[in-house]
Amino acid sequence: MSTVPAFKRLPRAVREQQMLDAAVKVFSRRGFHAASMDEIAEDAGISKPMVYAYLGTKEELFVACLHREGTRMMQAIAGAAAPDLPADDRLWRGLRAFFGFVGAHRDGWAVLYRQARGEQPFARELATMRSRLVEVVAGMLDHALRAEGREIAAVDLEVVAYALVGATESLADWLADHPDADPEKTATRMMNVAWLGAAQLLHGVTWRPPAD
């Protein structure tokens, strides 16, 4: 009797998604270095040579995971924050979509923001994605400011956008570690922190250090 496993023939796109699903789970548990292609193949229910044939080396597979999870996240945010909405509604919908993604794809978040952060060349991929996210937030703020008939220096807008993205990422890490936490409530908490400050900015209110 043959000991070679029989694999059901599936369309290539479906098979690739199965491999990526398995790889994201294994990479999130093990990290890049400890993860093995054998375990990924076993979790995907396929042979290891098939993983190599479809998605290449372990490094190429990890990059493919980053691209897929990053694209999913950005599409969720962009699809939720329509440009014709009021500024606070756009930010709220974007935050809700972001935390909804993290809550639904905790393994994907772990790969994106934990496993990739300290590993080159993966850190460059993450930095590129993060820059796009900062651009989206800065664009939202700029649109809101212009609607109020105000403008601020580009560097100030960029700093605020980086601050909001950084705070949001930190809270997303907290959400990923608390499976019972509600993503929408988490988004509401972040909205209260972010929007109260952003609203003051929109109205020209700034804090100044006291004179010595």
Side-chain angles (χ1 to χ4, degrees):
M1 182 180 293
S2 173
T3 59
V4 177
F7 301 111
K8 183 179 178 181
R9 188 176 297 276
L10 293 172
R12 183 183 181 94
V14 174
R15 183 69 79 188
E16 284 183 354
Q17 291 306 309
Q18 286 183 343
M19 295 179 195
L20 290 171
D21 287 342
V24 166
K25 290 179 182 178
V26 174
F27 284 134
S28 71
R29 291 197 305 262
R30 308 286 190 198
F32 173 73
H33 293 293
S36 73
M37 296 294 269
D38 289 299
E39 185 176 4
I40 291 169
E42 183 179 352
D43 277 20
I46 60 173
S47 67
K48 184 167 72 169
M50 188 179 290
V51 178
Y52 283 109
Y54 274 61
L55 293 166
T57 65
K58 186 167 77 166
E59 181 174 303
E60 290 170 328
L61 176 57
F62 193 87
V63 170
C65 290
L66 292 181
H67 285 168
R68 189 189 73 168
E69 299 307 304
T71 299
R72 282 179 169 179
M73 184 181 72
M74 295 301 297
Q75 287 177 342
I77 295 169
D84 58 338
L85 294 171
D88 58 337
D89 202 3
R90 286 187 73 197
L91 183 58
W92 157 243
R93 289 170 184 258
L95 287 171
R96 185 171 61 180
F98 173 76
F99 286 110
F101 168 84
V102 175
H105 303 281
R106 294 172 196 269
D107 289 341
W109 174 259
V111 170
L112 280 173
Y113 275 82
R114 293 181 178 178
Q115 305 301 340
R117 187 175 295 167
E119 299 284 347
Q120 293 293 352
F122 311 131
R124 290 196 297 272
E125 299 281 346
L126 177 60
T128 299
M129 184 186 64
R130 196 165 188 262
S131 294
R132 292 203 307 269
L133 191 55
V134 168
E135 287 175 4
V136 169
V137 174
M140 287 183 185
L141 294 175
D142 186 50
H143 179 80
L145 284 164
R146 292 180 185 277
E148 294 277 336
R150 297 189 62 254
E151 292 184 42
I152 64 172
V155 65
D156 291 332
L157 197 62
E158 184 180 26
V159 167
V160 172
Y162 266 102
L164 290 177
V165 170
T168 301
E169 289 171 349
S170 293
L171 192 53
D173 261 345
W174 176 88
L175 176 64
D177 287 336
H178 293 79
D180 295 333
D182 182 357
E184 186 157 336
K185 287 183 179 179
T186 306
T188 303
R189 293 185 178 107
M190 187 63 223
M191 184 67 187
N192 281 316
V193 172
W195 182 249
L196 292 178
Q200 296 275 41
L201 174 68
L202 293 179
H203 290 93
V205 179
T206 56
W207 178 85
R208 302 286 182 185
D212 292 334

